[in-house]
Amino acid sequence: MENKLILITGASSGIGEACARVFAKNGCRLILNARNKEKLEALKKELEEAYGTDILLIPFDVRNREDATRILTSLPEEWKAVDVLINNAGLALGTEKEHEGDLDDLYTMIDTNVKGLLLITQLVVPGMVERGRGHIINIGSVAGDAAYPGGAVYCATKSAVKVLSDGLRMDLYDTPIRVTNLKPGLVETNFSNTRFHGDKAEAKKVYKGINPLSGNDIAEVAYFAASAPAHVQIAEVLVLATHQASAQWVWREK
């Protein structure tokens, strides 16, 4: 993976940030995207000092078609040949019933988790096809396997990630390009804080009584998939905490 060029969306925190650290540690060049420019700049400084990594920052919201198109179609020549795209940008908002949820929250999830992923895919993958190499790693979720109460729209978006990943793999089957759908279970990041709109007490309850996954656990799996031999396509990986059997079935210590 030395000197491979990795583009990571949602890289300012959580799984995206962890992926940046793991790939930087292994000698990769990075293009990092997120909305929060200050966090990206702090991460860039840290990784450059730690690993001497070459990093390009492209701060924009993946929901913004105009910004994404303008920035990704005008990358400097030395930053155009993306080897691995990690479509990580995504979020959950709220736990209300489907018919009672805030429409702004529901639309934000759809626009980010589905339309944002599709937009970045369309802007990056044609270049991979033209060059005859590349790998797309979509960060899905165990939530995409089945709906659960209070999470129908989020589950639907992650189910869409699975279907989009499977469909893209079929569309690219006559090329050397690989597609991976990486589905984490309970990962303790800023994810639940966002879901509960900053209510840290409620967010903490999600991980009570269980030893959850970390962002680094998922990043290591992403790196494993990306560094597999060229003839090996790791199509889908479900990664759960040891005491988690599905999105809802979780054994917790009292």
Side-chain angles (χ1 to χ4, degrees):
M1 293 295 292
E2 189 88 21
N3 291 321
K4 293 284 187 180
L5 181 57
I6 319 298
L7 195 165
I8 306 170
T9 65
S12 62
S13 64
I15 292 171
E17 180 183 350
C19 284
R21 295 181 190 282
V22 168
F23 281 85
K25 181 178 68 176
N26 285 281
C28 298
R29 300 162 60 224
L30 304 177
I31 301 176
L32 302 181
N33 157 266
R35 291 175 297 171
N36 192 316
K37 185 178 180 181
E38 290 181 1
K39 284 187 177 180
L40 285 180
E41 288 174 343
L43 181 60
K44 179 177 188 288
K45 183 174 185 294
E46 177 191 336
L47 296 181
E48 285 177 340
E49 291 176 356
Y51 307 113
T53 311
D54 289 332
I55 298 175
L56 176 68
L57 302 183
I58 51 170
F60 63 82
D61 189 329
V62 296
R63 295 176 296 170
N64 191 314
R65 181 174 177 178
E66 182 179 324
D67 285 353
T69 302
R70 173 177 53 80
I71 291 170
L72 287 173
T73 56
S74 61
L75 290 172
E77 197 63 37
E78 65 272 24
W79 293 97
K80 287 183 177 179
V82 174
D83 294 296
V84 179
L85 166 62
I86 302 180
N87 273 317
N88 166 75
L91 76 170
L93 291 170
T95 57
E96 296 83 9
K97 295 179 179 180
E98 182 178 338
H99 59 288
E100 296 175 347
D102 183 285
L103 268 181
D104 286 339
D105 283 353
L106 304 184
Y107 282 17
T108 295
M109 285 189 281
I110 293 168
D111 288 346
T112 305
N113 301 359
V114 181
K115 293 165 68 176
L117 178 145
L118 184 57
L119 172 61
I120 303 304
T121 298
Q122 287 215 334
L123 289 170
V124 174
V125 173
M128 293 180 172
V129 174
E130 185 178 332
R131 292 185 295 275
R133 69 177 192 276
H135 190 170
I136 301 95
I137 300 176
N138 291 331
I139 305 299
S141 172
V142 63
D145 289 349
Y148 56 76
V153 174
Y154 175 68
C155 293
T157 67
K158 289 305 183 177
S159 181
V161 171
K162 172 182 169 47
V163 174
L164 289 171
S165 300
D166 290 346
L168 183 62
R169 194 179 305 109
M170 294 172 190
D171 290 337
L172 295 171
Y173 85 114
D174 59 344
T175 78
I177 298 166
R178 304 181 293 186
V179 181
T180 299
N181 181 25
L182 175 48
K183 307 188 301 183
L186 280 170
V187 183
E188 188 167 13
T189 63
N190 196 52
F191 176 87
S192 289
N193 287 334
T194 300
R195 182 169 215 165
F196 290 101
H197 297 285
D199 188 332
K200 293 183 179 180
E202 283 298 314
K204 200 72 177 172
K205 292 178 184 177
V206 174
Y207 312 106
K208 186 177 180 180
I210 187 172
N211 185 11
L213 301 167
S214 69
N216 188 70
D217 294 326
I218 305 306
E220 291 286 358
V221 176
Y223 182 79
F224 177 82
S227 58
H231 71 287
V232 177
Q233 178 172 214
I234 298 174
E236 185 167 290
V237 186
L238 174 63
V239 187
L240 303 175
T242 298
H243 288 300
Q244 180 179 17
S246 70
Q248 284 191 285
W249 282 81
V250 180
W251 183 83
R252 302 177 188 270
E253 292 182 356
K254 303 299 182 184

